[in-house]
Amino acid sequence: MRDKALKVLAVVTAASAIAAGTAATASSTPRHGGHGGNGGREIHNVIYLLGDGMGRTHVTAGRERYYGAQGKLNMERLPYTGAVATYAVEKGSDRPALVTDSASAATAWASGVKTYNAAIGVDSYEKKRVTLMEQAKAAGFATGNVSTAEITDATPAAQFSHALLRGCQGPTYSDASCLPKNADGSYEKAPADKTLITPIAEQIARNGTADVVLGGGLARFEPDDQKALQKQGYQVLGSFGDPKSAAQSASSQRVATKADLDKARGKKVVGLFNRGNLTVEAAKASLPAGAPQKQEPTLAEMAKKSIDLLDGRSRNGFFLQIEGAQIDKRSHANDAAQTLAEVKAFDDAVKAATDFAKKDGHTLVVVTADHECAGFNIIEKGTYTNAESAAPPANTDAGNPANNSSTQRGTSGDKDPSRSTGIANGAGAGDAKNFAPATFRTPDDPKGVKDGSPDASLWLTYLSGNHTGADVPIFAYGPGADRFAASQLNTELYGKMYGSLFGRSPRG
């Protein structure tokens, strides 16, 4: 069992964070005129959708795979587009760290500050920063947080918890998961604010920041978390385990199902549909009919239901964050087939949000990403990557020898047989050392062309297995959407969404 003293401190410090949000927003009038776009109608609701790891190429490849070169994803149909710079900063400074992780990126748009990688709801100096969801909740908005990852994972966590390290998810505390290390390898001294080392699951179950919580991560929670949620009036779908015996909690836990979600009617609802991350759509489709993963809702279904549950529950409106997490996780794995399917699943959730917004007329929809993952690239049909080359080419310019130089890396006309055994989702898929492209048919291809064939028109490669520092796209619809049609820092998204909800800047 967890340290009960930490639970008391978590409640106190979470209440302090909400109080800070109240002080920041209590004087505002939530319903107000919009900021241009769509006739300047007033904004009641903000739906913020994140394709985790989704770079510009992910969007392009998703479009070409499912709709063809002249088609469009639902997100690409939104009228306002821009770009977002995603860099983080180094711990204890304002010095840029050019490649962010999900935790620092999510803290940027949730709290408006740059921070170090792995930080949740704190700045680079480990100071707790109030989140937009806390402020919205304190001002009387209904709130929701939805993800295909564990709900304690970085992106959802940054809206309704505060932790020095993203790994401090629970169910138990450990120094290794919750305390950063000093330069000499020792752990930092525990902070005075014990919330910052309280497991994220424990914070979520007690602070009441989100009225609707849907996702994965049941294994992060314990029976007393369910008891704490129910005491606050939450309808808990499934079961967090036997409250009589923590030792039996894992075996006695029951994940929620789509059927449970369909029946949910509470003003406050928590549904966790897998003990870990939700199942990717490509894997779910291949499972037998009786597999428990078949009972998980899609992201679009969770999006529709969360909107249903939140709409009309508060006279002020609602703030909802929805994350398609598996785009990132499958890009890390360099699994192009699963990555593309998750882009499509996320885009289906975008449609659910925009369909509601079009009918409602008072809802701002913002669609973006926290960072790009793995250097996803579309390459010319029939070509391959530098990693497959036997040797770099001679860098010569026959027309002007002054341009000749020595390259550190390049492509060659000859493949290295030890590094490329064929198309990755074809003949060479089983070889862990294989750098070959993955190929996919598109609606533009002739009938009979199959995925994994050299005749397929979409050829995809990865640069690495980690994040990159590339800017990410942003799309927006609804009143105030034109404010997002810019090149902007991820921290600016906080101020723009705050302005949409409260009608003034955070320091107004």
Side-chain angles (χ1 to χ4, degrees):
M1 296 294 289
R2 302 175 192 160
D3 185 337
K4 299 297 181 184
L6 284 182
K7 294 188 174 182
V8 174
L9 286 164
V11 173
V12 172
T13 51
S16 299
I18 291 177
T22 305
T25 62
S27 63
S28 65
T29 303
R31 293 199 169 189
H32 62 281
H35 301 278
N38 294 309
R41 293 176 302 192
E42 61 180 7
I43 302 170
H44 298 175
N45 316 305
V46 173
I47 304 176
Y48 185 61
L49 296 108
L50 269 297
D52 197 306
M54 185 183 73
R56 179 67 252 183
T57 298
H58 289 79
V59 174
T60 305
R63 174 215 310 150
E64 294 174 344
R65 162 67 160 163
Y66 295 105
Y67 300 106
Q70 296 182 19
K72 286 185 178 181
L73 293 173
N74 293 298
M75 67 185 87
E76 294 179 295
R77 297 179 184 276
L78 305 189
Y80 295 99
T81 63
V84 181
T86 64
Y87 71 88
V89 294
E90 294 182 7
K91 194 168 183 294
S93 77
D94 298 318
R95 189 166 51 252
L98 298 181
V99 179
T100 188
D101 77 342
S102 295
S104 55
T107 299
W109 72 68
S111 296
V113 295
K114 291 286 186 183
T115 191
Y116 59 92
N117 286 334
I120 297 286
V122 298
D123 63 22
S124 69
Y125 302 94
E126 301 185 348
K127 180 182 177 182
K128 182 194 295 183
R129 305 304 285 260
V130 68
T131 75
L132 184 59
M133 192 169 288
E134 288 171 340
Q135 291 172 313
K137 179 67 175 176
F141 287 84
T143 51
N145 208 337
V146 176
S147 178
T148 54
E150 295 177 276
I151 204 66
T152 53
D153 203 4
T155 300
Q159 284 286 8
F160 55 7
S161 65
H162 304 268
L164 298 181
L165 290 180
R166 61 181 290 178
C168 193
Q169 296 182 47
T172 56
Y173 170 88
S174 74
D175 286 351
S177 296
C178 301
L179 276 176
K181 286 186 175 182
N182 297 307
D184 63 2
S186 63
Y187 291 110
E188 289 183 5
K189 182 180 177 182
D193 183 351
K194 301 304 178 189
T195 307
L196 303 183
I197 54 170
T198 298
I200 291 167
E202 189 170 340
Q203 295 184 52
I204 293 168
R206 285 158 183 79
N207 62 28
T209 300
D211 297 313
V212 175
V213 180
L214 304 177
L218 180 59
R220 299 292 184 178
F221 293 82
E222 292 182 340
D224 56 346
D225 295 322
Q226 178 171 338
K227 186 176 179 181
L229 286 162
Q230 290 172 328
K231 191 172 181 180
Q232 298 170 74
Y234 283 88
Q235 178 184 0
V236 177
L237 311 181
S239 172
F240 288 12
D242 182 357
K244 296 178 182 178
S245 174
Q248 298 173 12
S249 64
S251 60
S252 63
Q253 284 183 329
R254 182 179 74 80
V255 296
T257 65
K258 181 183 180 298
D260 294 330
L261 184 62
D262 289 342
K263 291 184 250 183
R265 295 291 181 270
K267 288 188 177 181
K268 296 182 176 183
V269 176
V270 174
L272 303 178
F273 304 97
N274 195 298
R275 284 178 51 78
N277 300 316
L278 297 194
T279 310
V280 297
E281 292 302 319
K284 193 192 300 184
S286 66
L287 293 170
Q293 295 91 338
K294 290 277 192 181
Q295 304 305 311
E296 295 175 13
T298 65
L299 184 60
E301 289 165 344
M302 291 194 292
K304 288 176 186 175
K305 186 65 176 186
S306 60
I307 292 169
D308 240 11
L309 292 168
L310 294 171
D311 183 35
R313 294 299 168 91
S314 167
R315 68 176 186 84
N316 293 338
F318 66 80
F319 173 52
L320 171 63
Q321 178 173 292
I322 301 171
E323 180 198 23
Q326 305 286 23
I327 299 168
D328 176 69
K329 295 182 187 304
R330 304 325 298 162
S331 292
H332 278 297
N334 283 192
D335 190 323
Q338 290 187 341
T339 298
L340 289 172
E342 291 306 302
V343 170
K344 175 66 165 59
F346 174 70
D347 193 57
D348 291 343
V350 172
K351 184 178 188 301
T354 51
D355 283 351
F356 169 80
K358 288 173 183 176
K359 292 177 183 176
D360 175 70
H362 303 283
T363 298
L364 169 67
V365 176
V366 180
V367 182
T368 188
D370 47 0
H371 52 73
E372 197 277 343
C373 187
F376 205 31
N377 280 287
I378 301 169
I379 64 171
E380 186 180 357
K381 181 178 177 180
T383 63
Y384 50 94
T385 67
N386 290 348
E388 298 173 84
S389 300
N395 189 357
T396 58
D397 181 345
N400 185 353
N403 295 337
N404 297 351
S405 63
S406 297
T407 58
Q408 294 183 342
R409 193 172 185 185
T411 56
S412 170
D414 298 318
K415 286 188 180 182
D416 182 344
S418 67
R419 297 175 69 79
S420 180
T421 57
I423 295 166
N425 60 345
D431 185 349
K433 299 187 297 297
N434 186 18
F435 284 86
T439 70
F440 298 90
R441 68 161 286 112
T442 73
D444 301 319
D445 288 341
K447 186 177 179 179
V449 171
K450 298 183 181 301
D451 293 349
S453 160
D455 297 323
S457 60
L458 181 59
W459 286 53
L460 297 169
T461 67
Y462 289 95
L463 173 68
S464 75
N466 295 309
H467 301 167
T468 72
D471 288 2
V472 294
I474 188 167
F475 311 90
Y477 171 86
D482 59 319
R483 303 176 71 202
F484 297 87
S487 291
Q488 59 220 299
L489 295 176
N490 53 7
T491 49
E492 294 178 66
L493 303 182
Y494 164 78
K496 291 178 181 182
M497 288 191 289
Y498 184 106
S500 296
L501 288 170
F502 300 113
R504 60 186 177 87
S505 70
R507 297 177 182 85

